[in-house]
């Protein structure tokens, strides 16, 4: 049915965010600034971890890969969204739509597994410090990263399987600024309740389940620390606060998209903007805000880049 599908629908049209020229201009400035800041911030994290030997540890290895995923995630939708702002007809090809879905879920699924791995890393570092480097050895870190990518790709392919053979018979209008499953499925000219349930089970339950696993794991770490030394709780809480903040920012919009039974177009768009533009920008800010080693390394490399740029 894949070939028939393409003959029936060649493109989808986005309604976008606003038809007001003034609002579009503000959105253009907002998205452009935050997209560039997201790319620069996450790129600086990856570069600092790669170049600074003091950051060659499992925690920073996972953090650098999280930043790499954030760059990929925001680049899947934001450039197209910025490009479409001043276009009267905001269209995307059928293949382009499937490509967006694939990369959104591949990077999102991989990041989900990586956040769980980062929680495990903090558990070992805080609760089993003497065994940390033995457990979180380079081989384990590479295996974790490989498993995250494999699971992310499997999840993404499973999402595509839901829509690749769907019959679309118009209108081909999406009340959004990017392609994703819930709204795309509603355009199919077939009974979609079962399919919507399967999407909720696949993405919604995975998001909710992963979120609660992470929150419970952080509570378990704090309880374990409190039992051994109540004075260390504040230090552990300070270490984990950045992780918990990132987890809430990442999973909050996902849980709403795929699990909330009363969808709202305006709230969906707001959370989609937050997820696509602001979260990738905030992640490097949050992780480096209280991390003296990371701040020192980034400051050093920024000074080096400035020095190089001033050389004749």
């Amino acid at each position: 049915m894949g070939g028939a599908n393409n003959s029936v629908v060649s493109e989808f049209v986005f309604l976008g965010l606003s038809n007001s020229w003034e609002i579009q201009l503000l959105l253009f400035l907002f998205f452009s600034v935050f997209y560039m800041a997201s790319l620069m911030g996450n790129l600086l994290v990856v570069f600092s971890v790669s170049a600074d030997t003091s950051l060659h540890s499992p925690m920073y290895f996972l953090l650098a890969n999280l930043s790499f995923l954030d760059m990929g995630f925001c680049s899947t939708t934001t450039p197209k969204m910025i490009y479409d702002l001043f276009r009267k007809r905001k269209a995307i090809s059928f293949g382009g739509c499937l490509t967006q879905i694939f990369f959104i879920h591949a990077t999102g699924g991989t990041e989900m597994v990586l956040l769980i791995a980062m929680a495990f890393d903090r558990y070992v570092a805080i609760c089993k410090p003497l065994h940390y480097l033995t457990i979180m050895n380079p081989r384990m870190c590479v295996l974790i990263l490989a498993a995250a990518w494999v699971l992310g790709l499997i999840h993404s392919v499973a999402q595509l399987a839901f829509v690749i053979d769907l019959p679309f018979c118009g209108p081909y209008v999406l009340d959004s600024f990017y392609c994703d499953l819930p709204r795309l499925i509603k355009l199919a000219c077939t009974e979609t309740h079962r399919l919507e349930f399967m999407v909720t089970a696949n993405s919604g339950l995975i998001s909710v389940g992963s979120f609660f696993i992470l929150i419970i794991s952080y509570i378990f770490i704090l309880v374990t620390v409190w039992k051994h030394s109540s004075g260390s709780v504040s230090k552990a809480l300070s270490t984990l606060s950045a992780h918990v903040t990132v987890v809430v920012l990442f999973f909050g919009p996902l849980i709403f998209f795929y699990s909330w039974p009363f969808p709202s177009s305006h709230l969906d768009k707001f959370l989609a903007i937050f997820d696509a533009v602001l979260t990738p920008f905030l992640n490097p800010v949050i992780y480096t805000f209280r991390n003296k080693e990371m701040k020192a390394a980034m400051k050093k490399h920024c000074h080096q880049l400035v020095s190089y740029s001033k050389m004749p």
Side-chain angles (χ1 to χ4, degrees), residues 12-19 90 92 97 171-187 257 263-273:
F12 297 100
V13 177
F14 298 134
L15 291 183
L17 296 168
S18 174
N19 292 320
K90 304 167 177 49
I92 187 170
C97 190
Y172 309 127
V173 179
L174 287 164
D175 187 11
S176 182
F177 56 87
Y178 73 102
C179 282
D180 203 6
L181 286 174
R183 296 199 180 280
L184 188 64
I185 287 172
K186 292 183 186 300
L187 299 184
F257 289 149
S264 164
S265 173
H266 295 298
L267 188 56
D268 276 359
K269 288 180 181 180
F270 172 77
L271 289 174
I273 291 169

Side-chain angles (χ1 to χ4, degrees), residues 239-303:
T239 303
L240 295 178
S241 60
H243 294 269
V244 174
T245 304
V246 168
V247 164
V248 172
L249 290 175
F250 178 77
F251 282 97
L254 292 182
I255 291 170
F256 184 86
F257 289 149
Y258 297 107
S259 306
W260 189 250
F262 310 108
S264 164
S265 173
H266 295 298
L267 188 56
D268 276 359
K269 288 180 181 180
F270 172 77
L271 289 174
I273 291 169
F274 193 90
D275 199 38
V277 181
L278 291 178
T279 301
F281 164 75
L282 290 172
N283 282 355
V285 174
I286 292 165
Y287 275 120
T288 57
F289 184 67
R290 291 186 176 179
N291 192 310
K292 292 180 181 178
E293 289 180 323
M294 196 72 206
K295 280 195 288 188
M298 292 173 76
K299 192 179 291 184
K300 183 179 78 173
H301 293 301
C302 282
H303 287 318

Side-chain angles (χ1 to χ4, degrees), residues 20-249:
S20 166
W21 190 90
E22 291 83 0
I23 294 176
Q24 287 177 338
L25 181 59
L26 286 173
L27 290 173
F28 174 80
L29 294 172
F30 175 82
F31 293 145
S32 299
V33 168
F34 276 96
Y35 177 59
M36 292 306 298
S38 298
L39 289 183
M40 295 302 293
N42 284 294
L43 195 59
L44 187 57
V45 169
V46 173
F47 178 73
S48 298
V49 172
S50 303
D52 201 308
T53 53
S54 66
L55 300 181
H56 288 180
S57 68
M59 182 181 78
Y60 294 116
F61 172 80
L62 296 174
L63 177 58
N65 280 280
L66 181 70
S67 288
F68 177 78
L69 285 168
D70 279 335
M71 285 191 289
F73 186 79
C74 68
S75 296
T76 302
T77 56
T78 310
K80 170 70 174 166
M81 177 172 58
I82 294 171
Y83 174 70
D84 280 343
L85 276 172
F86 296 110
R87 295 180 72 204
K88 194 167 184 179
R89 192 170 188 274
K90 304 167 177 49
I92 187 170
S93 68
F94 180 77
C97 190
L98 293 186
T99 302
Q100 273 198 343
I101 292 172
F102 175 81
F103 281 107
I104 286 169
H105 287 275
T107 54
T110 304
E111 188 164 336
M112 207 176 289
V113 179
L114 201 61
L115 287 170
I116 294 173
M118 292 174 79
F120 175 72
D121 171 78
R122 289 302 84 202
Y123 165 75
V124 177
I126 294 172
C127 300
K128 299 180 183 292
L130 297 178
H131 303 285
Y132 179 63
L133 292 179
T134 304
I135 296 172
M136 294 300 294
N137 57 66
R139 183 171 177 270
M140 174 62 77
C141 290
V142 172
L143 283 174
I144 286 172
L145 184 61
W149 273 106
V150 168
L151 290 172
L153 290 171
I154 290 172
H155 167 71
S156 184
V157 170
Q159 298 298 298
L160 282 183
F162 289 135
V163 296
I164 195 72
D165 286 332
L166 276 180
F168 296 99
C169 48
Y172 309 127
V173 179
L174 287 164
D175 187 11
S176 182
F177 56 87
Y178 73 102
C179 282
D180 203 6
L181 286 174
R183 296 199 180 280
L184 188 64
I185 287 172
K186 292 183 186 300
L187 299 184
C189 50
T190 183
E191 205 283 315
T192 60
H193 287 93
R194 184 182 174 189
L195 196 55
E196 288 173 16
F197 173 79
M198 291 174 69
V199 168
T200 300
N202 188 292
S203 292
L205 292 181
I206 289 173
S207 299
V208 173
S210 299
F211 176 74
F212 280 108
I213 287 171
L214 284 164
I215 296 300
I216 290 168
S217 68
Y218 288 132
I219 293 171
F220 177 77
I221 291 170
L222 289 173
V223 170
T224 304
V225 171
W226 179 74
K227 283 181 179 179
H228 286 85
S229 173
S230 58
S232 301
V233 172
S234 59
K235 185 179 178 182
L237 189 61
S238 176
T239 303
L240 295 178
S241 60
H243 294 269
V244 174
T245 304
V246 168
V247 164
V248 172
L249 290 175

